[in-house]
Amino acid sequence: MFSKDRVKQYVFWAMVIDAPFIYISAVTLDNAAATIASLVVMGAASALAIWSH
Amino acid sequence: MSAASIALAALPLAALLGAVLALKWSAPRAGALAWLAGCAIALLFFGSDARLLAIGSAKGLSLSLFVLSIVWTSVLLYNVVDELGGIDVIGNTMTRLVSDPLAQALVVGWAFSGFMQGIAGFGVPVAVVAPLMVFMGFTPARAAAIALVGHAWSVTFGSLGSSYFTIQLVTGIEGGEIGPQMAALFAMPIIVTGFAVAHLQGGAGAMRRGAPLILVMGGSMALCMWLLALVGAPQVASLVSGLVGCGAGWLASKTPLLPKAALDEASQRVEPRRRMSFHMAFLPYYFVLLLSIVSQIPVVKEIGAPLLWGLDYPAVETSLGYEVDAESSYAKIRLLRHPAPLILLSLALTYGVFLARGLWKRGAALSAGRKTYAQCVSTSVGIATMVMMALVMTDTGMTVFLGGAIADVTQSAFPVFSPYIGALGTFMTGSNTNSNVMFGALQQETAGALGVSAVTIASVQSIGGSLGSAIAPAKVLVGTAIVGLSGKENEVMKRTIPYCLLIVLLVGIQAWIILNLF
């Protein structure tokens, strides 16, 4: 099992890495599938933040 | 405008509020929940789609980068100075210079804490000033309460202006317009927080005895803040005002302006041997100050004009017809004007000077970096999620909708309630910046719907947010933990809440008078 402290780090880095993908998918590429995928990653990170913080 | 629509538009904020206040969740946890709720409601009820949500969230992340770069670099700077022993030197010097307990409370708890907010923010003033005051002989609960109330005047222009720049970005009001007005509106709360600190130190008697000193210090600080906002240097307005307040307090406390009181044992304390002078300890902040001033010189501004980074965003429209204009270089970071690069340059200059003088401690930067990372990770998640929620709400029309509803309910009494909204935001999130992000656009929309000055209301939002720092659990926890009162937060909060509520009310009344009588 991962400790909550470790998950907090993963949440932070997932958000850092996903941030440019949200912009690129929605603005640069304007691609619906990529946009949804990037939002799902951010949503998963947020769900983990609710659990870990 | 049905009640159900209003309730839905308010749900993300209600989720945030309920999570923090009722469930006692941390800011990152509550922010994540609120962003998820905002996305779901925007998607289901406000005509949004995945692209619109992504664009709103990306704007939120752009804005977060602007703000968090200031938070990370200012905390890093503080930690480096602390690693080098500079914070102890600065604190000891302050203690040696002022011996009267009331003057100590005012100079250290009010002015110096404002200065610390100016350079670091992020709970650092409370973390530094509260133990310093215990060191001077104050009881732990009183020390923490004085630090919390004392620094509350300086938060908006603190952290090198992060909250101020945020309200500017969120509302789109130019700095030249909002800066001087906000600084002028700060004059009253600055002076009243001084009286509150005196009351915390020694009750009504201390307020009477300290009145001339408070007026001299508060007047100097307020004038300084206004002048710096006027000349376009708001990022150092709290820093310099705090410094001026310290100087004015130190000088005035040596004159008959402060009637003498018996000295206690704490004032006879022997200062430990120092490794460096005060000016050397203070050097990084001198550099920040100097570079901030240099960055405002017209030639430097002109040279630096093309050196900026910001993302472009397209215009979007919801299926319900709510339109958002395209943005060019959104939340732009100017290399020669944004506080983060200036702080990093100050750090590099400090490294050079300290190395040359043999004062640099091996591993100081690495240790400070580790501390900074540990301190900033949770805050970054909290700010990012809350800012994303705020921007999703704004881009999908929920904020405008709520603004209209609030205007309908409060009507002409809105200016009185406006600073409480700002204070509530800070109470929930522990951050004036977050409060401005969450409620800045809402307040602006409400002002527009009521036909009153958006500049005044946006100013009052941020002032309320600044004052809310005195009661924000996140900051109270910093104070109680550092003075050994963990688990006894109520002892501190019951002291700070009455002062905060009263000063915020005075700010609201001041705003109402200005908007209705002038």
Side-chain angles (χ1 to χ4, degrees), chain B residues 63-405:
Chain B
L63 190 53
S64 299
L65 181 66
F66 183 99
V67 175
L68 285 172
S69 59
I70 302 174
V71 172
W72 280 73
T73 50
S74 58
V75 173
L76 178 65
L77 180 69
Y78 170 81
N79 284 332
V80 166
V81 178
D82 192 29
E83 283 290 322
L84 297 172
I87 296 297
D88 284 346
V89 173
I90 294 168
N92 281 327
T93 305
M94 299 298 296
T95 311
R96 185 168 48 85
L97 289 174
V98 188
S99 55
D100 183 287
L102 175 56
Q104 285 175 341
L106 292 172
V107 172
V108 180
W110 183 35
F112 182 65
S113 65
F115 163 76
M116 288 304 299
Q117 180 67 36
I119 52 180
F122 192 49
V124 168
V126 180
V128 171
V129 169
L132 199 59
M133 305 218 55
V134 173
F135 181 75
M136 290 170 165
F138 289 80
T139 62
R142 185 170 292 174
I146 286 175
L148 283 159
V149 173
H151 90 294
W153 63 272
S154 59
V155 184
T156 287
F157 290 109
S159 305
L160 293 168
S162 60
S163 303
Y164 166 75
F165 287 118
T166 304
I167 192 79
Q168 226 185 293
L169 283 165
V170 168
T171 59
I173 301 171
E174 287 296 320
E177 204 180 350
I178 193 170
Q181 181 166 154
M182 191 191 293
L185 287 168
F186 255 117
M188 185 273 290
I190 286 176
I191 291 170
V192 179
T193 49
F195 279 103
V197 165
H199 193 260
L200 275 164
Q201 188 273 326
M207 283 174 70
R208 279 193 297 274
R209 188 166 78 89
L213 183 61
I214 293 166
L215 291 173
V216 167
M217 288 174 68
S220 313
M221 286 148 68
L223 181 65
C224 184
M225 181 178 274
W226 179 73
L227 283 173
L228 286 163
L230 191 69
V231 300
Q235 65 269 41
V236 291
S238 286
L239 189 156
V240 179
S241 298
L243 209 54
V244 165
C246 288
W250 173 65
L251 287 172
S253 68
K254 310 287 179 197
T255 69
L257 272 175
L258 185 70
K260 295 277 180 252
L263 297 182
D264 60 10
E265 284 180 17
S267 60
Q268 316 295 326
R269 201 179 301 278
V270 178
E271 189 185 337
R273 193 168 163 271
R274 297 192 309 185
R275 188 168 172 249
M276 70 180 88
S277 70
F278 173 79
H279 293 297
M280 189 51 75
F282 213 71
L283 190 68
Y285 300 113
Y286 285 140
F287 280 137
V288 172
L289 194 58
L290 181 70
L291 290 171
S292 296
I293 293 166
V294 168
S295 72
Q296 298 303 322
I297 297 171
V299 179
V300 178
K301 274 187 180 176
E302 203 176 314
I303 293 168
L307 303 173
L308 61 88
W309 182 86
L311 293 170
D312 295 338
Y313 286 93
V316 288
E317 184 179 355
T318 67
S319 63
L320 301 180
Y322 183 77
E323 294 175 13
V324 179
D325 293 337
E327 296 273 3
S328 176
S329 294
Y330 184 79
K332 60 177 87 67
I333 293 175
R334 294 182 184 278
L335 196 61
L336 297 186
R337 283 176 70 186
H338 188 273
L342 301 185
I343 296 171
L344 289 177
L345 185 54
S346 302
L347 264 173
L349 292 170
T350 301
Y351 173 72
V353 174
F354 272 58
L355 200 63
R357 299 283 296 266
L359 292 168
W360 186 263
K361 270 169 62 180
R362 202 179 167 85
L366 194 62
S367 175
R370 283 194 183 122
K371 272 190 199 170
T372 305
Y373 177 79
Q375 284 171 287
C376 293
V377 163
S378 290
T379 306
S380 301
V381 173
I383 288 180
T385 50
M386 279 185 273
V387 176
M388 284 196 295
M389 176 211 72
L391 268 296
V392 165
M393 284 183 70
T394 303
D395 272 16
T396 53
M398 291 155 78
T399 306
V400 174
F401 190 77
L402 266 183

